[in-house]
Structures are given as structure tokens and as C-alpha cells.
Amino acid sequence: MPGSYRQIDVALGDQAYQVSIGAGVRHLLPELVAATGARRAAVVSARPPEWTPDPGVPSIRIPARDGEVDKTLASVEELCRQFARFGLTRADVVVSCGGGTTTDSVGLAAAMYHRGVPVIHLPTSLLAQVDASVGGKTAVNLPEGKNLVGAYWQPRAVLCDTEYLDSLPRREWTNGYGEIARCHFIGAGDLRGLALTEQIAASVSRKAEIVAADERDTGLRHLLNYGHTLGHALERATDFAMRHGEGVAVGTVFVGRLAGALGRIGAERVAEHLDVVRHYDLPTALPEGVRATDLVALMRLDKKATNGLSFVLDGPAGAELVQDVPEETVLDTLEAMPRRRY
Ligand code: GLY
């Protein structure tokens, strides 16, 4: 069983759940499965079988693969067919184990199968622990774009076992720390210098507050996209050679500069963006060879951009969504960013 661990409440009324964070929390799985009343479990895992404890009820193990390529409607259909062949009912439970792409697509399969089966996530990457597995957004990609088909489906529980992170490659740490860095500017406080479990707990805790206030992303939840508008554009402009957390890190430095250029924050706060991103050893410069005009065109496709170019920007009252930011200021700010080869 785990030693001491943190528990964060996601206060969503009759959909409320807890996120447990710490070494060994995966061993809470059987008691959480029992709490759902499930008689059987479908365990979908992108990790070796021993990474997921026995759920304590008859189960089927379904192997999965992390990665955007498998985040498709076809893989959701295949999962649902396997659930059906196993005889899974709405009174049973689905367990997902893997990175954010796995928790996203398994979450969507759980949302759709029998119009909704309980799901418990065991995220194994830092990115999935601090962001993707919490908050109920599930989605798959279409050839036309990322995350275009999805549903809100809150999990029954999330187990962020920090032992899963022991074997994480360096770039996966960068991926997760990009999200932790942006938390500094959306009300989580200064997480530099905290132990890893505390950094994850503080990030999840801030996300839980935001999701509890705006589950369906109609206002406050936009804050979670701090640094993401440019981040997503950089991912696309580099054909995903730049990872999500790397794009968010550069995007965070950029929105600091943009907020400064618009007179929303002073020079010290602009510099704090660079300091925080650097502290986590994350990239701060735009990649060479990507044109500012192309980035602007990509940023116009952002889902939040219902009124011109939109960014979540720091300001006197904290971060907020700012619509219709002048293109010229965006271009000038991009042109002034340092460049480097990645
Ligand atoms: N990852 C952003 C959100 O959950 O809203």
C-alpha cells in the first residue's frame, strides 16, 4: 500500500471525485473499484501488465499504445467492441493506464459505451498527471485536426502514482513541466523549489478549483490554456517535432512579452515569465525557420479565437482571456523573440 500521499477533491457535486498523488497510490485501485460497485473491469493499459494492480474483480486486460496516431475514432470503436465481447455493463468499470493520449481515448470510449461507464485513470506521464487525466475532457483526433471529437466525462478517481515517473525520458519531463510552469501565472503560486509530489498536487489542486467553477469551458477554464495558443501553433508549425510542453513553455514566455507590450503588466512581471520557464529548464526561444506570419495564421484557428486573435494574458486582475488582440502587436512580439535550433 502507499505511504503518505496527497488527495485533492474535484468538487463537482454528484460527479465529485478525488485525485490521489504519491508513491504507490496505484495500489488503491481495488478499493476504488469496489467503491464503484462494479462486478467486472476492463483494464486498458499502454504500460506493462504489472503496472496496473489487480482490480479485485474479474477483468479483461486490453493493451493500448500511447501516441497521437492511435487517438482515433477507430481505436475507440475497437475498445468498445472489446468491452461488448467481454460483457461489460454500465454497472462495471473501465480502468485506463498510460499517458495523456491513452487516458483521453479510453476516457472517450468509457463516455460512449452504453452511454457512459465509470472510468478510473492511472496516468503514467507527468503531463497526464498534472493536466490531461483530471477534469473530464476526453477526445480523439480527426485527420482534420487534434481533439476534434470528444465528450466531458469525469472519472470516478485518478491515481497519480509518482513511481510511474521513475523511468520517464527527459523530454517527457519537459512535457509535464511546461504545464507546471504555466501554473505560476494562473493562480497556483510559486511552485519552484517544491518537491515533485507537491508540485503535482498544487497543479492538480488549481486545476480542480478551475474545473469545479467551469466544467464546460465557458469562461474560467480558459485559464488552463495559458501559453497554449502559441504552444499549439508551434506544435503544428513544426509538425509536432516540438512537444506540447515545449510549445507551452515558449508560449508562456511569449504571452508575458505580449501582456507587457499591451501595457497589462510591467517589465518585472514580463521577466518573471522568462525566469520561471528557465527555472524548469524549459525552452524559451522560437524555433529557427518558422515564420511569424505562419504562426499568426495558425493562432487564428485556435478554438478560443471567436473574435480575432485571442490569448489568455496576465494583467492587473490576474490572467484572463483577451479577445481581438491587434495582429501587429502579436507579430512585433513574435519578431522580437529570440530564435534557436531545436
Ligand atoms: N487541458 C485543458 C483543460 O483541461 O481544460
Side-chain angles (χ1 to χ4, degrees):
M1 288 310 280
S4 68
Y5 59 95
R6 297 288 310 271
Q7 274 192 316
I8 311 290
D9 291 316
V10 186
L12 279 167
D14 58 5
Q15 296 180 90
Y17 57 97
Q18 286 188 322
V19 182
S20 305
I21 303 152
V25 295
R26 65 188 180 283
H27 297 295
L28 299 171
L29 182 66
E31 95 188 39
L32 290 167
V33 167
T36 67
R39 284 166 310 163
R40 348 167 105 202
V43 180
V44 186
S45 176
R47 295 291 174 275
E50 61 278 13
W51 283 38
T52 326
D54 187 328
V57 291
S59 61
I60 180 179
R61 299 252 169 186
I62 304 173
R65 220 170 36 165
D66 273 348
E68 297 293 338
V69 214
D70 280 340
K71 228 177 98 165
T72 59
L73 277 170
S75 65
V76 169
E77 179 182 357
E78 179 52 31
L79 284 175
C80 291
R81 292 185 65 188
Q82 298 211 42
F83 298 164
R85 289 199 289 272
F86 178 56
L88 201 78
T89 73
R90 209 160 46 182
D92 295 324
V93 68
V94 171
V95 176
S96 80
C97 177
T101 50
T102 296
T103 59
D104 270 10
S105 51
V106 178
L108 183 57
M112 292 167 76
Y113 182 74
H114 284 208
R115 299 196 183 85
V117 201
V119 63
I120 297 174
H121 294 309
L122 277 69
T124 58
S125 69
L126 185 57
L127 181 71
Q129 296 195 353
V130 296
D131 189 44
S133 65
V134 179
K137 277 189 181 175
T138 71
V140 292
N141 304 329
L142 294 179
E144 287 74 15
K146 268 183 76 171
N147 294 336
L148 291 188
V149 181
Y152 290 95
W153 189 243
Q154 298 297 338
R156 288 296 177 93
V158 181
L159 297 174
C160 299
D161 195 324
T162 50
E163 286 176 357
Y164 285 147
L165 307 177
D166 288 347
S167 56
L168 221 54
R170 161 130 180 72
R171 275 191 94 185
E172 280 299 324
W173 285 102
T174 312
N175 228 2
Y177 267 114
E179 299 287 10
I180 291 175
R182 68 84 163 90
C183 281
H184 186 104
F185 302 100
I186 59 168
D190 192 346
L191 310 184
R192 289 173 286 182
L194 297 185
L196 175 66
T197 301
E198 292 309 314
Q199 289 175 329
I200 299 171
S203 307
V204 168
S205 180
R206 184 62 186 132
K207 179 157 188 181
E209 282 169 4
I210 291 172
V211 168
D214 177 24
E215 185 197 3
R216 300 283 164 138
D217 212 355
T218 57
L220 192 70
R221 193 164 177 163
H222 295 332
L223 292 191
L224 295 167
N225 277 335
Y226 200 80
H228 282 57
T229 311
L230 179 61
H232 287 149
L234 286 170
E235 282 183 84
R236 291 188 61 176
T238 60
D239 225 357
F240 297 95
M242 195 157 209
R243 303 288 305 277
H244 181 73
E246 294 167 340
V248 170
V250 179
T252 297
V253 175
F254 166 74
V255 286
R257 286 171 166 247
L258 185 59
L262 292 168
R264 295 177 55 87
I265 56 173
E268 217 172 286
R269 184 70 167 165
V270 174
E272 193 173 331
H273 284 72
L274 185 62
D275 289 348
V276 169
V277 173
R278 268 202 188 129
H279 169 87
Y280 293 109
D281 204 12
L282 301 170
T284 58
L286 290 177
E288 276 175 11
V290 174
R291 287 201 312 228
T293 45
D294 291 343
L295 291 172
V296 168
L298 287 167
M299 290 194 286
R300 284 197 179 280
L301 302 175
D302 190 271
K303 286 201 212 73
K304 297 183 301 305
T306 49
N307 189 6
L309 282 164
S310 303
F311 298 89
V312 182
L313 293 177
D314 201 4
E320 63 186 335
L321 182 65
V322 180
Q323 306 263 20
D324 214 5
V325 176
E327 178 168 325
E328 202 183 310
T329 317
V330 175
L331 273 171
D332 288 349
T333 308
L334 283 170
E335 300 289 7
M337 293 273 292
R339 299 264 180 177
R340 59 160 272 213
R341 187 195 300 251
Y342 286 102

